[in-house]
Amino acid sequence: MQTQTAIRSDISRHSARNGRPVPPPAFNGRTEADPFEKQMQLMGAVMPYPRNAEIFGESDPAEYLYKVVSGVVRTYKILNDGRRQIGGFYLPGDMFGLESGDEHTLSAEAVTDTKVLVVKRSTLVALAARDAAVARELYQLTARELRRTQERILLLIKSAQERVASFLLEMTARSPAGNAVELPMSRQDIADYLGLTIETVSRTLTSLESAATIEVPSSRRIVLRNRSALNRLNG
Amino acid sequence: MQTQTAIRSDISRHSARNGRPVPPPAFNGRTEADPFEKQMQLMGAVMPYPRNAEIFGESDPAEYLYKVVSGVVRTYKILNDGRRQIGGFYLPGDMFGLESGDEHTLSAEAVTDTKVLVVKRSTLVALAARDAAVARELYQLTARELRRTQERILLLIKSAQERVASFLLEMTARSPAGNAVELPMSRQDIADYLGLTIETVSRTLTSLESAATIEVPSSRRIVLRNRSALNRLNG
DNA sequence: CGTGCAGTTGAGCAAATTCAACGCTTGTGG
DNA sequence: CCACAAGCGTTGAATTTGCTCAACTGCACG
């Protein structure tokens, strides 16, 4: 049992701006502009969310699908004892809100100021019914999400060192390039993602640093010094 | 870090019988016979697998989809340090082998003597391209599996007591009825499913028993005596 | 009746958490 | 411009949890 985040105090400071959909601007996600992409953009609207704003809540009707245009999003669930488990971080180009059913099983918040492409699910589903390519894409997206989730499970049975190492490798792989990552999320976010406490995350990072595996020039910035050591930890 | 199963000795005793497909017999899964069901049965063949036989391996081409007709199946992955993580248990009526991509990410084995309906994935995908209802079904199945996997993640951040309690509740909910469950799997299987050791599982069960929350008349049989206590633990 | 396997139990230990204190940065108000 | 509060991150010490190693029981099978 661990404590993790209880109820976070800064959420309500920025309440979700339910602004009006604006016309989709130039899209700069990371995936190529395939037909599915284009459909999404035509059907959807880009919405801005300030840092820590809620994008949807745990039991909201799952009316929309979302794609990150810029910024970073986290999905999470609060357990009844107050702990928080983060389901995933979504970077530009990633889609989220794919759970089945009529209601979301997770909540979603903006980690940083974020722009999100929002598409009505029913529109997409209707389109999928007519266009097999769209249906296939929808299926693939979900299957990929499933695969990622299964990998998370493997993560969660490992030691703290292994979890942190895997996390760093994952984030580096998903970030622009090179051996350096700018982590957009707090230690608490990382801890709640990995199922650890902030203290353990912090300690693990310092221990990796003193082993010359990584460098931590500033708390949000990490440089990978010895990638093979990390890979060895990765299991 | 934990040890869990290293390499299990009894696997090779029963090698996978690659028997010839037999005509689908009367289907007795738990889901209703919708059109999708019927398609599956028409396209597929029921294959028998003896206890502990491998149904598919981790890097096998993901050529088929599977549905449990009778018996129980486990999917799992072996980590490079020898530990085993069980991805899930599949009871009659459940489908497995849904991961995306060309290769399976998990292996699958029969927990008990099992009959499995096997359907060529390409056949189903081709059908999905023509029939939107099938496509939708395929999507729904995957989305449901995703949801279940997300719930597993919540399980894995909890304490040993909570994990075992959740497991018992899950199995009871999925089993025929009543407050009693016949667990088809070994303690090792349970441990590798919950990310614990067999000792911890065993101790937790005895502790639940001495708290009068459950009864364990025989090691594979569990009676739930105080469901609300279990639910309280469930988080 | 002995062997092997599955499960339980116990004692010691290692890892991660809890509780607590402290430093650093940032933002705010006087 | 400075003082100070608040948030974030790090570090230390004590504690708890679950793991490791080991012994032992019950049971099935030859």
Side-chain angles (χ1 to χ4, degrees), chain B residues 2-3 160 199-200:
Chain B
Q2 47 200 33
T3 301
E199 292 96 330
T200 300

mmCIF file of all heavy atoms in Angstrom, chain B residues 2-3 160 199-200, chain D residues 18-22:
data_model
loop_
_atom_site.group_PDB
_atom_site.id
_atom_site.type_symbol
_atom_site.label_atom_id
_atom_site.label_comp_id
_atom_site.label_asym_id
_atom_site.label_seq_id
_atom_site.Cartn_x
_atom_site.Cartn_y
_atom_site.Cartn_z
ATOM 1 N N GLN B 2 11.160 -9.501 -7.710
ATOM 2 C CA GLN B 2 10.665 -10.712 -7.098
ATOM 3 C C GLN B 2 10.972 -11.881 -8.012
ATOM 4 O O GLN B 2 11.244 -11.714 -9.197
ATOM 5 C CB GLN B 2 9.162 -10.604 -6.861
ATOM 6 C CG GLN B 2 8.458 -10.081 -8.096
ATOM 7 C CD GLN B 2 7.115 -9.511 -7.726
ATOM 8 O OE1 GLN B 2 6.955 -8.964 -6.664
ATOM 9 N NE2 GLN B 2 6.156 -9.645 -8.605
ATOM 10 N N THR B 3 10.909 -13.077 -7.456
ATOM 11 C CA THR B 3 11.376 -14.196 -8.245
ATOM 12 C C THR B 3 10.313 -14.777 -9.147
ATOM 13 O O THR B 3 10.494 -14.910 -10.332
ATOM 14 C CB THR B 3 11.902 -15.314 -7.331
ATOM 15 O OG1 THR B 3 12.949 -14.755 -6.563
ATOM 16 C CG2 THR B 3 12.435 -16.426 -8.161
ATOM 17 N N ALA B 160 -0.867 -6.487 -1.198
ATOM 18 C CA ALA B 160 -1.091 -7.906 -1.442
ATOM 19 C C ALA B 160 -2.517 -8.302 -1.080
ATOM 20 O O ALA B 160 -3.198 -8.994 -1.840
ATOM 21 C CB ALA B 160 -0.086 -8.723 -0.636
ATOM 22 N N GLU B 199 4.118 -17.635 -1.801
ATOM 23 C CA GLU B 199 4.066 -17.552 -0.335
ATOM 24 C C GLU B 199 3.132 -16.429 0.111
ATOM 25 O O GLU B 199 2.317 -16.603 1.012
ATOM 26 C CB GLU B 199 5.462 -17.314 0.248
ATOM 27 C CG GLU B 199 6.418 -18.478 0.078
ATOM 28 C CD GLU B 199 7.291 -18.300 -1.141
ATOM 29 O OE1 GLU B 199 6.825 -17.659 -2.104
ATOM 30 O OE2 GLU B 199 8.431 -18.809 -1.126
ATOM 31 N N THR B 200 3.269 -15.300 -0.529
ATOM 32 C CA THR B 200 2.422 -14.168 -0.145
ATOM 33 C C THR B 200 0.955 -14.459 -0.440
ATOM 34 O O THR B 200 0.074 -14.142 0.373
ATOM 35 C CB THR B 200 2.884 -12.894 -0.881
ATOM 36 O OG1 THR B 200 4.238 -12.628 -0.534
ATOM 37 C CG2 THR B 200 2.037 -11.696 -0.492
ATOM 38 P P DG D 18 2.061 -6.135 1.256
ATOM 39 O OP1 DG D 18 1.161 -5.604 0.222
ATOM 40 O OP2 DG D 18 1.548 -6.941 2.384
ATOM 41 O "O5'" DG D 18 3.208 -6.969 0.530
ATOM 42 C "C5'" DG D 18 4.060 -6.297 -0.384
ATOM 43 C "C4'" DG D 18 5.305 -7.126 -0.594
ATOM 44 O "O4'" DG D 18 6.074 -7.170 0.625
ATOM 45 C "C3'" DG D 18 5.034 -8.590 -0.978
ATOM 46 O "O3'" DG D 18 5.871 -8.859 -2.079
ATOM 47 C "C2'" DG D 18 5.419 -9.363 0.281
ATOM 48 C "C1'" DG D 18 6.527 -8.488 0.834
ATOM 49 N N9 DG D 18 6.824 -8.637 2.262
ATOM 50 C C8 DG D 18 5.924 -8.760 3.296
ATOM 51 N N7 DG D 18 6.499 -8.872 4.457
ATOM 52 C C5 DG D 18 7.856 -8.828 4.177
ATOM 53 C C6 DG D 18 8.979 -8.914 5.046
ATOM 54 O O6 DG D 18 8.987 -9.042 6.272
ATOM 55 N N1 DG D 18 10.194 -8.831 4.347
ATOM 56 C C2 DG D 18 10.292 -8.679 2.988
ATOM 57 N N2 DG D 18 11.524 -8.616 2.495
ATOM 58 N N3 DG D 18 9.257 -8.603 2.170
ATOM 59 C C4 DG D 18 8.075 -8.684 2.834
ATOM 60 P P DC D 19 5.945 -10.264 -2.772
ATOM 61 O OP1 DC D 19 5.650 -10.012 -4.192
ATOM 62 O OP2 DC D 19 5.171 -11.258 -2.010
ATOM 63 O "O5'" DC D 19 7.504 -10.626 -2.656
ATOM 64 C "C5'" DC D 19 8.467 -9.626 -2.943
ATOM 65 C "C4'" DC D 19 9.857 -10.118 -2.558
ATOM 66 O "O4'" DC D 19 9.967 -10.135 -1.116
ATOM 67 C "C3'" DC D 19 10.180 -11.533 -3.035
ATOM 68 O "O3'" DC D 19 11.496 -11.535 -3.570
ATOM 69 C "C2'" DC D 19 10.045 -12.386 -1.780
ATOM 70 C "C1'" DC D 19 10.403 -11.409 -0.682
ATOM 71 N N1 DC D 19 9.737 -11.686 0.617
ATOM 72 C C2 DC D 19 10.515 -11.858 1.773
ATOM 73 O O2 DC D 19 11.742 -11.778 1.694
ATOM 74 N N3 DC D 19 9.902 -12.110 2.951
ATOM 75 C C4 DC D 19 8.559 -12.175 3.015
ATOM 76 N N4 DC D 19 8.000 -12.416 4.201
ATOM 77 C C5 DC D 19 7.757 -12.007 1.843
ATOM 78 C C6 DC D 19 8.374 -11.771 0.679
ATOM 79 P P DT D 20 12.091 -12.877 -4.211
ATOM 80 O OP1 DT D 20 12.984 -12.429 -5.281
ATOM 81 O OP2 DT D 20 10.986 -13.820 -4.492
ATOM 82 O "O5'" DT D 20 12.970 -13.505 -3.044
ATOM 83 C "C5'" DT D 20 14.064 -12.763 -2.516
ATOM 84 C "C4'" DT D 20 14.835 -13.639 -1.542
ATOM 85 O "O4'" DT D 20 14.086 -13.772 -0.307
ATOM 86 C "C3'" DT D 20 15.106 -15.061 -2.039
ATOM 87 O "O3'" DT D 20 16.465 -15.360 -1.777
ATOM 88 C "C2'" DT D 20 14.148 -15.927 -1.229
ATOM 89 C "C1'" DT D 20 13.999 -15.126 0.062
ATOM 90 N N1 DT D 20 12.699 -15.255 0.765
ATOM 91 C C2 DT D 20 12.693 -15.383 2.138
ATOM 92 O O2 DT D 20 13.707 -15.410 2.806
ATOM 93 N N3 DT D 20 11.451 -15.479 2.705
ATOM 94 C C4 DT D 20 10.231 -15.459 2.048
ATOM 95 O O4 DT D 20 9.177 -15.552 2.666
ATOM 96 C C5 DT D 20 10.309 -15.332 0.611
ATOM 97 C C7 DT D 20 9.043 -15.320 -0.201
ATOM 98 C C6 DT D 20 11.518 -15.237 0.046
ATOM 99 P P DC D 21 17.145 -16.685 -2.370
ATOM 100 O OP1 DC D 21 18.517 -16.300 -2.753
ATOM 101 O OP2 DC D 21 16.225 -17.291 -3.349
ATOM 102 O "O5'" DC D 21 17.221 -17.637 -1.104
ATOM 103 C "C5'" DC D 21 17.593 -17.091 0.165
ATOM 104 C "C4'" DC D 21 17.304 -18.101 1.263
ATOM 105 O "O4'" DC D 21 15.940 -17.957 1.719
ATOM 106 C "C3'" DC D 21 17.471 -19.567 0.856
ATOM 107 O "O3'" DC D 21 18.174 -20.223 1.884
ATOM 108 C "C2'" DC D 21 16.036 -20.058 0.725
ATOM 109 C "C1'" DC D 21 15.357 -19.235 1.814
ATOM 110 N N1 DC D 21 13.889 -19.070 1.687
ATOM 111 C C2 DC D 21 13.115 -18.973 2.844
ATOM 112 O O2 DC D 21 13.671 -19.027 3.943
ATOM 113 N N3 DC D 21 11.768 -18.829 2.729
ATOM 114 C C4 DC D 21 11.213 -18.771 1.527
ATOM 115 N N4 DC D 21 9.894 -18.621 1.464
ATOM 116 C C5 DC D 21 11.981 -18.866 0.328
ATOM 117 C C6 DC D 21 13.304 -19.016 0.449
ATOM 118 P P DA D 22 18.670 -21.758 1.716
ATOM 119 O OP1 DA D 22 20.058 -21.815 2.220
ATOM 120 O OP2 DA D 22 18.345 -22.229 0.361
ATOM 121 O "O5'" DA D 22 17.729 -22.513 2.743
ATOM 122 C "C5'" DA D 22 17.453 -21.933 4.016
ATOM 123 C "C4'" DA D 22 16.344 -22.695 4.692
ATOM 124 O "O4'" DA D 22 15.057 -22.136 4.303
ATOM 125 C "C3'" DA D 22 16.280 -24.177 4.343
ATOM 126 O "O3'" DA D 22 16.240 -24.944 5.529
ATOM 127 C "C2'" DA D 22 14.998 -24.314 3.549
ATOM 128 C "C1'" DA D 22 14.158 -23.191 4.148
ATOM 129 N N9 DA D 22 13.061 -22.749 3.297
ATOM 130 C C8 DA D 22 13.073 -22.505 1.955
ATOM 131 N N7 DA D 22 11.909 -22.137 1.466
ATOM 132 C C5 DA D 22 11.072 -22.139 2.562
ATOM 133 C C6 DA D 22 9.718 -21.840 2.722
ATOM 134 N N6 DA D 22 8.925 -21.470 1.717
ATOM 135 N N1 DA D 22 9.187 -21.939 3.966
ATOM 136 C C2 DA D 22 9.982 -22.309 4.974
ATOM 137 N N3 DA D 22 11.275 -22.612 4.949
ATOM 138 C C4 DA D 22 11.769 -22.505 3.705
#
